[in-house]
Amino acid sequence: MFDKVLVANRGEIAVRVMRACEELGIDTVAVYSEADKHGGHVRYADEAYNVGPARAADSYLDQEAIIEAANKADADAIHPGYGFLAENADFAARVHEEDGLTWVGPSSESMERLGEKTHARRVMEEADVPIVPGTTEPVEDVEEVTDFGDEHGYPIAIKAEGGGGGRGMKVVESADEAADQLESAKREGEAYFSNDSVYLERYLENPRHIEVQIIADEDGNVVHLGERDCSLQRRHQKVIEEGPSPALSDELREEIGDAARRGVRAADYFNAGTVEFLVEEEDREPGELLGPDANFYFLEVNTRIQVEHTVTEELTGFDIVKEQLRVAAGNELSIAQDEVDLDGHAIEFRINAENAADDFQPASEGSLDVYDAPGGIGVRVDDALRQGDELVTDYDSMIAKLIVWGEDREECLERSRRALAEYDLEGVVTIIPFHRLMLDDDEFRAGTHTTKYLDEELDRDRLVDAQEKWGTEGVLEAEGEAEAEVTEREFTVEVNGKRFDVSLEEEGAPSIPTPETGGGADGGGGGGRPQGAGGSEEESGGEAVEVAEGGEAIEAEMQGTILSVNVEEGDEVGAGDVVCVLEAMKMENDVVAERGGTVTNVAVGEGDSVDMGDVLIVLE
């Protein structure tokens, strides 16, 4: 077994991996960006190394910095968690080639073979796993898209080769949309995965999203640990996952599990992974299940551990992360297929810092003024933040995961109701009100919802009502008289990149000046950004931008990266025109002009990182 593992990730998944390591007697190493210097995963690890500034491309995605930190720490393995470099075959190969380092995951060859969707489709088709009608070679021209539509009908899904979770996927409803959607899918593929290759699939109108957890060793043993139903999604991003699926009959469940094992074995795959399927929903009577004749199709393989692996762990009592480490160390699986026994029902609720009533808009700031997680029988919380922590908005919006287990689905739903009501969290807006709403939702309780339910069927007014009833504001107002201020002076010392923390507290002392509070000893001198357009100056990336009287500054509504700029100075735009595209929270967001005018200033360019409130375009 390993002596020391570097976890190349952050937040709750980094802590999750570190906990497994600790139980196996393995020391842990954290890496962190400047934005995460006080992160929970940094506190938990045995040692930590700074790998760069807040921007992920300059820190968590910096392969050289990650490997350098591993070597400095004398780590003998790297666990990537999920996201960031977890599915990067080139990085896995670099780790493998590094003397004394082991990659905790599948081989780079398997990752490359299954990470590219067209290749994965060919592998699965050869293994007699059903696949959705589509192309098995990359698509370059818009004519290929329209020809496919003529043959198979619309809508069509254009998907990035390296995509997943809805990233790099565009739906074409008609031939008129083909050119724009092809360009957008290729652009997202390049931005997210440095790969603009795309392929086509027939877009299933009413599917369920079913995934099978597998684990395999290098001796060819492959085990599946049951399925998870991830059909409750918004814009292809999962929000609630559960297992077993409330929609599948035992016969269909067995067929899908066997197909997953066949496909993984044919790909010479080892370590943990997830084989994802789409199952076509049918008109069913209440209580009726999808039988063995239901259509199901291979979607993709995630060559890593999943966010929702916790559901499977609660059903099986099997620690998937520990098994990943054992397999990476060269051991055989500790469990056989006939020993897998699913017990009860489990649901995972993603506790995201988002406002579901505002189209799941992610929070731009906040701190956990109150944080008291639920407990009791059958309740598990995976998190990294603690009360008093500031929300880091440079990455994804997940604060924690609440996982609830019950003897059956009904008990699990009722226990979930209790656990969500117990979750006391103030200072940051979350989607807990949305989760509480779903527990009273007829479609969800009946298990008849599909991947389209949230985006196309759910009444938006119900989300607003839930937020008003159960929601928290972003910032708590101070109550009563203020206590004597305690100034905490924190110092982070780095020696050869390794982090050491020193903290001092002093009651009644003046605060320490920071770039945010200004240079005065009392922290004064700061001020908000000037508002309005009466000949004011506004900020873009820290620089002043002139806005003439009567003009309009189009600002970023969230932190993100500019994918494209569609206008130039002097262009005329109308109300509703898209002036640029902003990538945030793994999705493209069109930035539109609220009124018409002439572009007088383009303050950003392709690839620029922007914060909420930054000026993007100025109109006159």
Side-chain angles (χ1 to χ4, degrees), residues 56-74:
D58 299 323
S59 52
Y60 294 113
L61 293 174
D62 187 335
Q63 299 182 24
E64 196 66 42
I66 301 293
I67 291 177
E68 182 181 353
N71 288 329
K72 283 182 179 179
D74 290 326

Side-chain angles (χ1 to χ4, degrees), residues 167 170 184 187-188 191-192 235 361-362 364 393-394 540 554-566 578-592 604-617:
R167 289 169 291 176
K170 297 297 172 183
S184 182
R187 185 171 63 239
E188 276 195 16
Y192 292 128
R235 287 178 286 177
Q361 177 82 5
S364 61
T393 59
D394 298 81
S540 177
I554 302 176
E555 299 179 347
E557 295 185 353
M558 64 193 78
Q559 184 273 338
T561 302
I562 300 297
L563 290 185
S564 67
V565 178
N566 301 350
V578 177
V579 295
C580 60
V581 179
L582 172 67
E583 180 274 317
M585 302 308 300
K586 306 175 183 176
M587 288 172 284
E588 287 192 8
N589 301 271
D590 290 339
V591 179
V592 301
V604 292
E606 183 177 328
D608 286 354
S609 295
V610 297
D611 291 323
M612 182 179 181
D614 281 357
V615 175
L616 309 178
I617 306 291

